[in-house]
Amino acid sequence: MPPPLTQGQVSPGGSAGGMWNDRTQSSGMPTPPTSGVMCGIGCNININADGDLWVTKVIPGGPAAFSCEIAVGDVILAVDGVQVKGDTTDEVAKRIVGPEGVPITITCRVRRSLNGTTMDVDKPVTLIRQPPVHIPERLCEGPIGLGIDLVRLDNGHYQVRKLQSGGAAYLTSKLRVGDVVTAINTTPLQTLGPRADISSLILGDPFSRVSVTISAAHGGMQTGAGMRGGGDGGGKRASTRE
């Protein structure tokens, strides 16, 4: 179970009434099979100084954690296409909570780093409402990484040699064995010495974001804002070899 919420926080994973049935019935859309249990996506939200609704905690074992797509610090812009700027946390929680098994699309603003600069990217994430699977908190303690083994190449880049089962890289398939990592956050790896410990760039707080730029083994240069951890907080591995 998640820890008690601080004042002003709401966890869209409880038993508050949802709005999904009202919307689907009025639109004539079919209702997917459901157990009738009301649940959310497994995260806590609050309002920051700018009035944005942001994710303050991702609950291990919940849909958000298993997706590796919603991280602490992400700003929630819309729920199922409905803009939530200016809504209270209670209003947003009522939009998120709904019958178990019913899909929901959360549009988040994600911060990425590329070529020494940072940018905000808006992206929709579709999840299935489910109660969180119980996972001991001790398994989700930081620092934590993406669950990858890297080996340094002669040109100063690092190649992915192994993915840890249950880690973020394994769950999302955004990193594959053979991919070449050229930068982490705003740091080009070629600028580091041969004995540099790049694990310090990858490791961080559970369910926080880290940007990784890769030259993909299947072709093309890509940059992704990955989430540290995994559905069960897995992904502690960030080892390197010469």
Side-chain angles (χ1 to χ4, degrees):
M1 295 291 291
L5 303 177
T6 58
Q7 184 175 6
Q9 280 191 316
V10 172
S11 175
S15 58
M19 297 178 64
W20 192 89
N21 280 339
D22 293 338
R23 291 201 301 272
T24 51
Q25 289 172 2
S26 62
S27 65
M29 294 286 288
T31 301
T34 175
S35 66
V37 175
M38 303 298 285
C39 50
I41 61 173
C43 67
N44 295 354
I45 59 176
N46 207 340
I47 299 176
N48 63 18
D50 297 324
D52 294 320
L53 286 134
W54 65 293
V55 178
T56 59
K57 179 181 175 68
V58 174
I59 299 172
F66 277 115
S67 76
C68 295
E69 295 286 357
I70 296 179
V72 172
D74 288 355
V75 174
I76 298 178
L77 302 176
V79 177
D80 283 337
V82 178
Q83 300 296 315
V84 296
K85 177 76 172 183
D87 288 357
T88 67
T89 52
D90 285 336
E91 290 170 335
V92 176
K94 288 179 180 179
R95 290 191 183 278
I96 293 177
V97 173
E100 178 183 4
V102 174
I104 179 173
T105 298
I106 306 292
T107 302
C108 294
R109 178 161 294 157
V110 176
R111 179 150 294 183
R112 293 179 177 174
S113 300
L114 176 64
N115 297 328
T117 61
T118 59
M119 66 186 75
D120 290 332
V121 178
D122 298 350
K123 71 169 190 174
V125 178
T126 299
L127 307 172
I128 302 297
R129 293 177 174 96
Q130 299 178 53
V133 178
H134 175 69
I135 294 172
E137 289 285 338
R138 61 181 177 79
L139 298 181
C140 311
E141 296 175 348
I144 204 166
L146 299 173
I148 55 177
D149 278 351
L150 300 172
V151 62
R152 189 176 187 274
L153 304 177
D154 292 339
N155 63 3
H157 294 157
Y158 286 77
Q159 188 172 46
V160 178
R161 289 296 177 87
K162 186 176 182 180
L163 302 180
Q164 177 185 352
S165 179
Y170 177 88
L171 291 174
T172 63
S173 298
K174 291 183 177 180
L175 282 174
R176 302 180 184 180
V177 172
D179 287 349
V180 175
V181 179
T182 61
I184 299 173
N185 291 326
T186 58
T187 303
L189 299 186
Q190 283 184 318
T191 64
L192 304 178
R195 298 295 179 182
D197 180 14
I198 68 167
S199 63
S200 61
L201 300 175
I202 299 176
L203 296 175
D205 293 334
F207 306 112
S208 61
R209 287 205 178 274
V210 56
S211 293
V212 178
T213 302
I214 63 171
S215 176
H218 53 284
M221 187 71 69
Q222 303 176 10
T223 297
M227 185 189 78
R228 295 179 173 100
D232 58 356
K236 292 182 179 293
R237 179 179 298 152
S239 62
T240 60
R241 297 192 299 273
E242 298 299 322

